[in-house]
Amino acid sequence: MGLIGLVSLPRAFVFRLEPDDPHPFAWMRVHLSCAFGDALYPDPQWRQLAQVWSSLYPLGQLPSSQVRVIQALLAIMPAFVRLVLGHRPASLHGRALGQVLHGSDRTPDQLVRLYQAWTADRSVIPRTRPAVAFAVVGQARARGLLTPEGEDRLLGRLISYWALQSTLQLNARLAAPPYQPLPAVSSKPRPAALRADAAPTHRQMRSRRNVYA
């Protein structure tokens, strides 16, 4: 929902193809996001969202050459999604991207239950991780549990709270005294002149007599 709000632009921008742009053009970006969402968290809402997007920006008014490109991209999209989610980079130590990105706390039903917990107890909201909080808000909007105005107010309060907490934590770290490690205690025996039980030397005796003279 947030992505659609971001890329809902005039048709010329939504369908603008730039061969050297590493990002998908806006129309395809929404469909690609829905495809990844459906692969990670299967639910009819992804296909419904893709249909709504297509109805807002139909292909009928585009040149036939551009329509062929878009249809070709849609045809290979399922294979592309499987390829990306099945990728196993060395940094993940054998795990696939899809395994890392999928979380049991972010399924559509679980997000709805968490939103219901929010409405029952507001103190739960600040304890929710930001990534999960955004997912909860998006799912609540998709299920019609939250109005656009309510979404705006809720996200505004959350972002302000996170910014304040981040500032307070940073100030606390800056105000803390710098860590100064204690000098290591040597296990070597101290010189005789430095030991408390050592007999004073002739020079030390003369110095003491000068002080107390």
Side-chain angles (χ1 to χ4, degrees):
M1 300 296 286
L3 177 61
I4 287 181
L6 180 65
V7 299
S8 294
L9 303 168
R11 289 179 61 87
F13 296 98
V14 172
F15 288 104
R16 184 168 64 184
L17 291 168
E18 296 289 347
D20 57 346
D21 189 350
H23 304 94
F25 61 99
W27 192 89
M28 187 58 64
R29 188 182 305 181
V30 172
H31 280 279
L32 193 57
S33 298
C34 291
F36 274 109
D38 197 28
L40 289 169
Y41 305 102
D43 192 273
Q45 68 184 8
W46 301 110
R47 291 181 291 276
Q48 295 170 1
L49 188 59
Q51 292 171 358
V52 170
W53 178 247
S54 294
S55 68
L56 294 174
Y57 295 95
L59 304 181
Q61 302 176 8
L62 296 177
S64 57
S65 58
Q66 193 170 358
V67 172
R68 287 195 297 270
V69 171
I70 293 176
Q71 290 175 341
L73 292 174
L74 291 174
I76 65 172
M77 185 179 295
F80 176 74
V81 170
R82 289 194 299 270
L83 177 66
V84 172
L85 296 182
H87 180 53
R88 299 176 184 271
S91 59
L92 296 182
H93 307 289
R95 292 184 298 170
L97 280 175
Q99 294 174 303
V100 176
L101 293 175
H102 183 274
S104 58
D105 59 344
R106 303 183 193 187
T107 63
D109 290 339
Q110 178 61 26
L111 293 174
V112 169
R113 285 193 290 270
L114 186 52
Y115 178 75
Q116 293 170 344
W118 283 12
T119 58
D121 182 4
R122 291 287 180 176
S123 66
V124 178
I125 301 178
R127 300 197 299 269
T128 307
R129 290 176 297 165
V132 177
F134 278 112
V136 170
V137 173
Q139 188 62 56
R141 280 281 292 114
R143 293 286 179 92
L145 303 176
L146 188 62
T147 64
E149 296 79 11
E151 177 189 25
D152 182 69
R153 289 192 299 270
L154 181 54
L155 287 178
R157 289 195 295 267
L158 282 172
I159 293 172
S160 297
Y161 172 78
W162 294 328
L164 176 61
Q165 292 301 307
S166 177
T167 302
L168 293 176
Q169 292 170 7
L170 177 60
N171 288 341
R173 288 196 298 269
L174 293 176
Y179 172 70
Q180 296 181 349
L182 296 174
V185 178
S186 176
S187 60
K188 296 180 180 179
R190 302 177 66 187
L194 298 179
R195 293 203 304 267
D197 59 347
T201 63
H202 179 67
R203 180 175 298 178
Q204 290 172 337
M205 293 295 294
R206 292 180 59 186
S207 299
R208 292 175 183 178
R209 285 198 297 269
N210 292 337
V211 170
Y212 292 106

